[in-house]
Amino acid sequence: MLLALLSALGNGMASVLQRRAAMDQVREERGAPGPKRNLLRLARLLRRRYWLAGLAAMMVSAAAQVGALAVGRLSVVQPLLVSELLFTLVVGSLVFRHRPDGRTWLSFVMLAAGLALFLVAADPSHGETTAQNGEWLPVGVVVAVAVCALIAGAHALRGPPRAVALGSATAACFACTAALIKELTGRFSGGVAAVFTDWPLYAVCAVGLLSFLLLQSTLRAGTLAASQPALTLGDALVSIALGWVLFGERVELGLRIVPEVAGILLMAAGIVGLTRSPAMCGGWDQAVPEPPRQSGTPLPGRPRHPDGGEGTP
């Protein structure tokens, strides 16, 4: 659980910092979009300190996630990553210099309470460390079709709906990456040679790279208020499904379905409140207030006129 929460903190920091870099780039660069220009934009991001800091946070998050999945259940570790919304709010309020209001905090409390209620009621069971032979192929096809459909639908949308569609596609890829990591860690007992000669390692690299590229598109498509809930909750729900199908992790049903549904509804209420919160919409993560300029000291190379104005250097 501690490793999962550390991973959530890293994810939240990465989203905020890379969103800041993306918005700085949007303000500085103008021009018609296109595949070549998008590649150039991605290359220029490598020189931005906020983006590099976000990349470092993402690497810490990935390492903590691998450790958590090696010793924990997929259907527990991934839902705990929903807590990255809280970390996103805290880090975002510092980076974008906007203080959240009480309504925003209430929404996150509802979201956290719903998550806790669902996990306690569902009580996911331990499953197998690896999937059965032949199960990965049909599951991979279903996930690939769903991701392609979401990406195709996103091209026809604009604004928040586009961010939600891309965020959902990214979430499915993240959940699939987590399941592949669990499959990979379950094969560590076979030795180093077996790890490097078997398919899970290379599948993790390929799907992880796709997730990374989709995340960059998601961050540019809309505000964090639209994309982040789809990213985190989508990841949690798809991971629970993959844990059940691939690794035999079961959730309690029967009478426990009542608190489980209540937890889901509470999480949904928190998400709705979050997306409507004044603190996280209307440019919360698009503009950074400029520091006030001291009027008493002229800028270097710009002499003052006798009337108090600044001359042209």
Side-chain angles (χ1 to χ4, degrees):
M1 290 181 66
L2 290 175
L3 287 171
L5 290 174
L6 177 60
S7 179
L9 172 60
N11 273 337
M13 292 182 63
S15 294
V16 170
L17 293 171
Q18 292 186 347
R19 173 67 178 176
R20 169 67 187 271
M23 288 299 95
D24 288 347
Q25 188 179 63
V26 167
R27 285 195 297 269
E28 296 172 9
E29 298 182 3
R30 303 295 179 186
K36 184 176 180 180
R37 186 171 183 84
N38 288 337
L39 289 175
L40 290 175
R41 284 175 173 173
L42 183 60
R44 292 191 184 102
L45 279 174
L46 298 175
R47 301 196 300 266
R48 294 183 177 273
R49 57 190 179 94
Y50 278 107
W51 191 89
L52 292 173
L55 180 62
M58 187 180 297
M59 294 173 65
V60 172
S61 173
Q65 185 183 20
V66 170
L69 289 170
V71 299
R73 289 156 284 179
L74 178 66
S75 54
V76 172
V77 172
Q78 293 304 107
L80 278 175
L81 294 184
V82 172
S83 61
E84 80 175 69
L85 286 169
L86 177 59
F87 296 125
T88 300
L89 174 66
V90 174
V91 177
S93 64
L94 297 174
V95 172
F96 295 107
R97 304 175 193 172
H98 288 277
R99 180 178 298 176
D101 60 351
R103 180 177 173 180
T104 303
W105 285 113
L106 178 61
S107 298
F108 275 105
V109 169
M110 295 173 65
L111 180 59
L115 173 64
L117 179 60
F118 175 79
L119 287 178
V120 170
D123 189 21
S125 65
H126 286 280
E128 303 296 330
T129 56
T130 59
Q132 297 295 324
N133 291 332
E135 289 185 344
W136 265 108
L137 182 59
V139 170
V141 170
V142 171
V143 173
V145 170
V147 169
C148 290
L150 287 168
I151 294 175
H155 284 294
L157 301 172
R158 292 292 181 270
R162 179 183 176 91
V164 170
L166 287 175
S168 299
T170 307
C173 288
F174 278 148
C176 192
T177 302
L180 286 167
I181 291 173
K182 184 167 182 62
E183 179 76 23
L184 177 64
T185 57
R187 302 188 181 211
F188 281 172
S189 58
V192 176
V195 169
F196 280 95
T197 56
D198 213 348
W199 63 269
L201 174 62
Y202 306 100
V204 167
C205 295
V207 180
L209 178 60
L210 175 61
S211 304
F212 172 77
L213 295 176
L214 277 176
L215 178 61
Q216 306 311 309
S217 297
T218 301
L219 294 174
R220 293 185 64 92
T223 65
L224 291 177
S227 62
Q228 202 69 12
L231 276 168
T232 52
L233 290 182
D235 187 356
L237 295 176
V238 175
S239 294
I240 290 173
L242 291 178
W244 174 63
V245 173
L246 293 172
F247 305 105
E249 299 174 356
R250 297 291 187 265
V251 296
E252 296 291 337
L253 297 175
L255 292 178
R256 293 199 179 194
I257 198 172
V258 176
E260 289 170 4
V261 172
I264 293 174
L265 293 177
L266 197 57
M267 284 191 287
I271 291 296
V272 171
L274 172 63
T275 55
R276 294 181 178 179
S277 169
M280 293 196 69
C281 59
W284 176 80
D285 60 347
Q286 296 186 33
V288 180
E290 294 293 336
R293 180 182 298 175
Q294 296 181 357
S295 58
T297 305
L299 293 176
R302 304 187 70 174
R304 282 193 176 279
H305 280 237
D307 59 358
E310 292 182 349
T312 302

